[in-house]
Amino acid sequence: MSFNIDKMISPFIKALPPSGLAKFLEITANNPNIVPLSVGEPDFDIPAKVRAACIDSLNAGKSNYTSTLGMLELREAIAADTYKNYGVQYDPKTEIMVTVGVSEALDVVIRTIMVPDGEIIIPEPCYVANKACIILAGGKPVPVETKLKNGFIPTVTDLEKAVTDKTRAILLGYPNNPTGAIMSKEQIKAIGDWAVKHDIMIISDELYAHLTYGGKKHTMFTAFPEFKDRTVVLNGFSKAYAMTGLRLGYFTAPAAFVQAANLLHQNVVLCANITAQYGAIAALKYCENDMLAMVAEYEKRRQIMIDGFKKIGLPLYEPEGAFYVFPCIKQTGLTSMEFVEKLLTEEEEVLVIPGSSFGASGEGFIRCSYAYSEDNLREALTRLDRFIRKYTK
């Protein structure tokens, strides 16, 4: 008698929606003619001093466990960098935890606050893992649509419609993936005051904090002292320092929350890998110029994308952060998935990401990454122009 393995699979796993992207990525991997605008990964080399620090640590035989919270030297560097750039102070001994990428930080934070039937409000479009992490923790994600006309920022009016007595937190991600939106101080203050009113937590994913353009600067949620005791800020090294594969992130939070989250963290991963931690120390201490050079290059690429989509004639929010544009393709009459499928497999061999992957309110949009060379971007825009003309005559 065969065993029915399906009945053993968790209902939380079964509740996860399929990505819808795997087949496209497989096609891309096997076709060198495809021009990608898909991956949210810097195309720059890891900074030389980061690489050297990693290699030196291995040559010195440093392959041991660290504190579950992360090396104190790294936490001290994170605290110094946070204060230098955003004017917010954290105690490196008690208010910072180093994690295996921001992905682990997101998972640990959500599971630490979740209760049965708990709800977390997620403005959409948003990072694809937000909803999944809430579902896997046994909670209920409550989407709130953001709109192009509002710069993809949630309004307090819309948030009021979503909050219930089961709401545990609001999970925000600005600078935003996929839209490139950033929040003003006034918008942060309004949402923070709303969270105080309803006595809920704020989880703020600020991974793209260093990647802002047009003279705009990122403001941390905890730059407002009145929000610090209820806010967890996620950040990491993947985007600003081109360290994606080293899988190193962190979060800052009140000491009592870090202590509670560490009970989960130490049982799941124990600690982040020591080699990446040595690299991150070097990044924060010695690689600011490398980071600024990358940001300057992204700013040039961003303008290429803005000008290109304006010429094509697609409505576009001009991104002020991250490295994505999120043009509206509704005028083509295609759904986001139809657009991506036809563009990739039937027409021009360009890979973009359907906006619907980032939540229902992303339908009618596509995400295009400009973490690629200028030549790649210009070729992709040429092909997109040809494709869109066929559907908008």
Side-chain angles (χ1 to χ4, degrees):
M1 181 177 176
S2 62
F3 180 68
N4 182 9
I5 195 69
D6 183 69
K7 70 180 182 181
M8 305 305 295
I9 297 173
S10 164
F12 299 143
I13 296 293
K14 290 183 176 180
L16 293 179
S19 75
L21 299 178
K23 64 178 180 180
F24 297 132
L25 296 177
E26 182 68 24
I27 293 169
T28 304
N30 296 311
N31 186 344
N33 296 320
I34 287 173
V35 179
L37 293 178
S38 51
V39 178
E41 180 173 33
D43 65 328
F44 297 97
D45 290 336
I46 189 171
K49 290 184 179 178
V50 172
R51 183 168 59 247
C54 291
I55 293 170
D56 289 347
S57 73
L58 289 170
N59 286 337
K62 294 176 179 177
S63 59
N64 52 286
Y65 295 129
T66 72
S67 160
T68 56
L69 295 179
M71 295 169 61
L72 181 57
E73 184 181 359
L74 174 55
R75 285 179 279 143
E76 289 172 340
I78 291 168
D81 183 75
T82 302
Y83 182 71
K84 173 187 173 183
N85 286 291
Y86 309 110
V88 182
Q89 290 186 313
Y90 285 98
D91 183 344
K93 293 181 179 179
T94 62
E95 295 182 319
I96 299 172
M97 178 190 288
V98 179
T99 58
V100 182
V102 185
S103 297
E104 192 224 340
L106 176 66
D107 181 46
V108 165
V109 167
I110 289 173
R111 286 202 278 167
T112 299
I113 70 169
M114 189 50 65
V115 297
D117 299 320
E119 299 176 354
I120 295 181
I121 294 173
I122 50 170
E124 291 183 339
C126 67
Y127 177 54
V128 293
N130 289 1
K131 182 178 290 186
C133 284
I134 296 168
I135 292 171
L136 289 170
K140 177 185 177 182
V142 180
V144 170
E145 180 182 6
T146 64
K147 301 178 179 68
L148 174 61
K149 66 180 182 180
N150 294 328
F152 294 109
I153 305 296
T155 67
V156 169
T157 300
D158 290 335
L159 294 176
E160 279 289 343
K161 298 174 185 176
V163 70
T164 73
D165 58 1
K166 295 181 180 180
T167 303
R168 307 289 290 170
I170 180 171
L171 170 54
L172 299 145
Y174 292 90
N176 185 259
N177 172 13
T179 67
I182 65 173
M183 295 180 69
S184 68
K185 291 181 180 179
E186 294 75 19
Q187 289 165 329
I188 291 171
K189 181 69 164 63
I191 292 174
D193 287 342
W194 169 84
V196 171
K197 172 186 172 183
H198 292 283
D199 197 25
I200 62 174
M201 284 188 64
I202 300 164
I203 305 170
S204 183
D205 180 352
E206 303 182 12
L207 177 60
Y208 294 92
H210 283 304
L211 306 185
T212 58
Y213 315 105
K216 297 293 180 71
K217 296 295 182 183
H218 174 70
T219 299
M220 286 183 72
F221 246 95
T222 47
F224 293 89
E226 63 266 37
F227 305 147
K228 193 176 179 187
D229 63 351
R230 69 178 63 244
T231 301
V232 179
V233 178
L234 314 180
N235 211 322
F237 300 88
S238 294
K239 310 302 181 180
Y241 296 100
M243 293 170 60
T244 51
L246 293 183
R247 308 309 305 132
L248 203 68
Y250 63 89
F251 68 84
T252 58
F257 185 89
V258 171
Q259 185 177 21
N262 196 28
L263 295 174
L264 175 58
H265 169 75
Q266 65 191 208
N267 279 288
V268 175
V269 301
L270 187 63
C271 65
N273 85 77
I274 190 172
T275 308
Q277 292 189 58
Y278 275 109
I281 291 168
L284 293 175
K285 288 187 173 182
Y286 310 120
C287 299
E288 182 179 23
N289 287 339
D290 298 82
M291 181 266 292
L292 292 175
M294 284 188 263
V295 173
E297 182 62 29
Y298 288 139
E299 180 132 32
K300 289 194 292 182
R301 298 176 185 181
R302 164 185 170 269
Q303 197 59 52
I304 289 171
M305 296 298 276
I306 291 172
D307 293 344
F309 278 109
K310 282 185 175 179
K311 182 179 178 181
I312 291 170
L314 294 184
L316 177 73
Y317 166 79
E318 295 191 13
E320 297 170 317
F323 39 55
Y324 311 105
V325 292
F326 201 62
C328 178
I329 51 93
K330 293 178 182 179
Q331 69 195 52
T332 66
L334 301 171
T335 68
S336 295
M337 189 60 74
E338 287 170 343
F339 185 100
V340 172
E341 248 176 354
K342 289 180 179 293
L343 177 67
L344 178 63
T345 62
E346 298 179 20
E347 305 272 353
E348 294 290 349
E349 295 186 313
V350 176
L351 178 60
V352 298
I353 306 297
S356 53
S357 297
F358 306 96
S361 62
E363 179 54 61
F365 294 83
I366 54 171
R367 191 196 77 173
C368 305
S369 168
Y370 50 90
Y372 292 95
S373 70
E374 292 188 17
D375 288 344
N376 189 98
L377 299 182
R378 294 185 191 280
E379 177 61 27
L381 286 166
T382 298
R383 297 186 186 192
L384 275 161
D385 188 24
R386 282 198 303 259
F387 176 78
I388 290 165
R389 288 181 187 277
K390 294 178 184 178
Y391 290 91
T392 55
K393 291 180 180 178

